[in-house]
Amino acid sequence: LTSVYTVLLLSRFLIATMGHPRLAIIMKPLIQGASDMVHLLVLFMLILTAYVLTGHILMGRRMEELATFKAAFSYCLKIVFQRQYDWDRITEEDMFAAAFWIVSLVLLLVLVMVNLMLAMIFNHYAAVRDQVGQDETVFQFFRRLLLQLRLQSVWISNTDLLVKLAQIPINENPTVATVKRMFPEISDAQLTVIFDHACRRATQKMFTDTKNVMP
């Protein structure tokens, strides 16, 4: 029960990290690549099952590790994930067929399928990393949080900011003077935080749009 609670606690923590752009790069590549990895997993299981049955038929009579389907499945998974197998025992009888079985298993499942899965994750990670851009780090986030707590009495909530700033016409860019006029009680520190964040977002959007333009 304690182990299950620990796993659930870790899951809650990983879900909570989705609220921070830089921490979210741990989970977003897995979530965005889930569809591709599920299809790859189906193909992986089909190929693995074929090798399990083949290994059981070829070497099940003389190797305890391949004597049953369950044992053969465990042994093939051990080869894939631990890269451990007994070459001498596998090739002791009918060397060419057994050697072809183990070599093709390692090449197809270990070198191709596993690395293909990693390539999918890295591809989505690169896309997420580009989207993060210059977002604030965890240290900057905690520094801003401490600043917000220190100025809590004069700190304007995000909801109030969004409601009033939405009244500004689309063709008009808000300035420091505009925001100061709409919120006379706002502190200079919060103004700096708001416009620094807006500047980072604008720079990131411009960089992303420029990167996606075909030469």
Side-chain angles (χ1 to χ4, degrees):
L1 184 61
T2 305
S3 59
V4 174
Y5 175 75
T6 304
V7 173
L8 292 176
L9 193 63
L10 177 62
S11 302
R12 290 291 301 272
F13 171 76
L14 292 176
I15 293 173
T17 61
M18 295 292 291
H20 191 277
R22 287 183 178 267
L23 292 178
I25 62 177
I26 300 172
M27 292 295 296
K28 281 187 178 179
L30 298 178
I31 295 174
Q32 294 182 3
S35 177
D36 294 335
M37 287 189 288
V38 167
H39 289 85
L40 182 64
L41 179 62
V42 172
L43 183 60
F44 176 84
M45 292 303 299
L46 289 175
I47 298 174
L48 179 64
T49 304
Y51 275 98
V52 169
L53 291 174
T54 306
H56 173 64
I57 294 171
L58 284 176
M59 296 163 284
R61 291 179 292 105
R62 58 186 177 84
M63 290 185 63
E64 183 180 356
E65 295 89 342
L66 299 169
T68 63
F69 179 83
K70 182 179 179 181
F73 189 83
S74 300
Y75 190 67
C76 289
L77 283 180
K78 178 181 177 181
I79 295 174
V80 171
F81 293 109
Q82 296 185 8
R83 277 73 163 175
Q84 294 181 3
Y85 55 88
D86 193 338
W87 171 263
D88 293 332
R89 291 187 61 199
I90 291 176
T91 58
E92 183 179 1
E93 181 181 326
D94 196 2
M95 177 178 178
F96 292 105
F100 177 79
W101 179 83
I102 186 63
V103 171
S104 60
L105 186 151
V106 171
L107 288 176
L108 187 58
L109 290 181
V110 178
L111 297 182
V112 176
M113 300 296 289
V114 173
N115 287 293
L116 187 59
M117 180 187 66
L118 293 176
M120 288 180 177
I121 296 175
F122 291 152
N123 182 49
H124 288 284
Y125 172 83
V128 172
R129 189 68 183 82
D130 288 341
Q131 293 174 4
V132 170
Q134 300 297 322
D135 279 329
E136 63 181 2
T137 63
V138 177
F139 306 105
Q140 292 172 335
F141 168 76
F142 281 112
R143 187 174 65 181
R144 178 173 59 82
L145 185 61
L146 291 174
L147 177 65
Q148 183 175 344
L149 290 174
R150 185 165 57 86
L151 300 175
Q152 187 175 7
S153 59
V154 294
W155 194 274
I156 310 298
S157 67
N158 292 338
T159 304
D160 293 338
L161 285 171
L162 291 175
V163 169
K164 284 198 175 183
L165 291 177
Q167 301 173 4
I168 300 177
I170 300 177
N171 58 352
E172 180 181 341
N173 292 325
T175 62
V176 174
T178 304
V179 178
K180 193 72 174 178
R181 186 172 62 253
M182 298 177 72
F183 301 94
E185 69 279 13
I186 194 170
S187 63
D188 293 337
Q190 186 174 5
L191 278 174
T192 302
V193 170
I194 293 172
F195 280 90
D196 284 348
H197 181 73
C199 183
R200 285 197 302 269
R201 284 301 179 91
T203 304
Q204 177 183 338
K205 186 177 186 305
M206 182 178 64
F207 175 76
T208 304
D209 294 343
T210 305
K211 184 177 180 180
N212 292 332
V213 172
M214 294 295 292

